[in-house]
Amino acid sequence: MVMQPVLEILAADDFALWPVGGHDSFGYLVLNGKLTPAEVGTAVMRIADCNDFEPGEEHGPCPADPLGTFLHGLLTTPDLFAAGGFRLTDTTTGTVFVEPGCCNGLETWRDWLDVLDGTGYARFGHDPFSTAERVGDTVRLTHDAHGADGSPVAELSADQVRRLVATAQQDLQDFLGRAGAWAEQHLPAHAAPVTAALARALDLAPSP
């Protein structure tokens, strides 16, 4: 089994503020420390786009330049969103047991810790309606709890899930380090606030 942080990607053929890679809409980009600069650029673009908004007083005046305008939501929105989540796949068969659905975000990845140490249950968006439920020392994973009979189901030990979550969290941390270096090169005037915003969007910001 492998658990990976994935970011839902939309095609952006006309994006020109910094170099990005080519991706089809509604695919997933796996986030880790091995991404190319263009892939990191794609991820930063997508997370910023997830937090685009109609300017309001609570965000302060919107900059007039295209780059400042595009980054404004990312840099001023308190509760950031990054479409995606932790995907769990059987590497032997290719079967996906947990797939982030619509409205699920990477900023909620700690729901997995709640499964292990809190309420014992979490859902990860809809279409599919993937769920994880702890029963004793076992975590039951269902790809689509609202789907037809035959939706893939797996049962893993809680210790195994804990290790998988820790690996996925490290992948996120490695991506953040990669993104920080990328920002220093491609967004030097905004590198620190962009990196801090990405940390918040991925729920990796240090505790105050």
Side-chain angles (χ1 to χ4, degrees):
M1 292 282 187
V2 62
M3 182 178 283
Q4 299 169 306
V6 295
L7 178 69
E8 185 184 68
I9 297 299
L10 300 180
D13 298 332
D14 58 347
F15 186 81
L17 294 176
W18 58 74
V20 297
H23 297 274
D24 295 332
S25 286
F26 305 110
Y28 284 112
L29 177 63
V30 177
L31 301 185
N32 54 43
K34 300 177 182 179
L35 297 185
T36 66
E39 289 172 330
V40 174
T42 297
V44 175
M45 174 201 67
R46 176 58 176 147
I47 295 172
D49 186 58
C50 282
N51 296 283
D52 196 10
F53 61 91
E54 291 296 328
E57 292 183 2
E58 68 274 18
H59 300 285
C62 186
D65 65 291
L67 177 59
T69 299
F70 184 71
L71 293 175
H72 190 55
L74 178 67
L75 299 182
T76 61
T77 301
D79 299 316
L80 296 170
F81 172 67
F86 282 6
R87 182 177 62 191
L88 183 65
T89 307
D90 185 330
T91 54
T92 302
T93 65
T95 302
V96 177
F97 290 103
V98 173
E99 183 174 1
C102 180
C103 303
N104 197 73
L106 275 160
E107 75 285 352
T108 65
W109 68 266
R110 293 181 191 272
D111 288 354
W112 282 98
L113 302 181
D114 202 33
V115 171
L116 294 167
D117 302 316
T119 64
Y121 176 83
R123 60 184 180 88
F124 308 102
H126 55 87
D127 300 325
F129 193 93
S130 292
T131 62
E133 183 177 13
R134 179 166 182 169
V135 181
D137 293 330
T138 299
V139 177
R140 181 179 176 85
L141 308 158
T142 304
H143 179 258
D144 191 355
H146 289 182
D149 292 342
S151 177
V153 175
E155 291 187 350
L156 304 180
S157 71
D159 287 344
Q160 184 177 359
V161 172
R162 195 180 301 278
R163 290 192 295 270
L164 289 167
V165 172
T167 299
Q169 179 186 0
Q170 186 60 55
D171 282 342
L172 267 190
Q173 194 69 56
D174 292 345
F175 163 75
L176 182 62
R178 185 84 167 158
W182 175 92
E184 290 178 357
Q185 180 178 358
H186 293 276
L187 301 172
H190 303 279
V194 164
T195 304
L198 292 174
R200 290 191 293 112
L202 302 175
D203 196 11
L204 295 174
S207 301

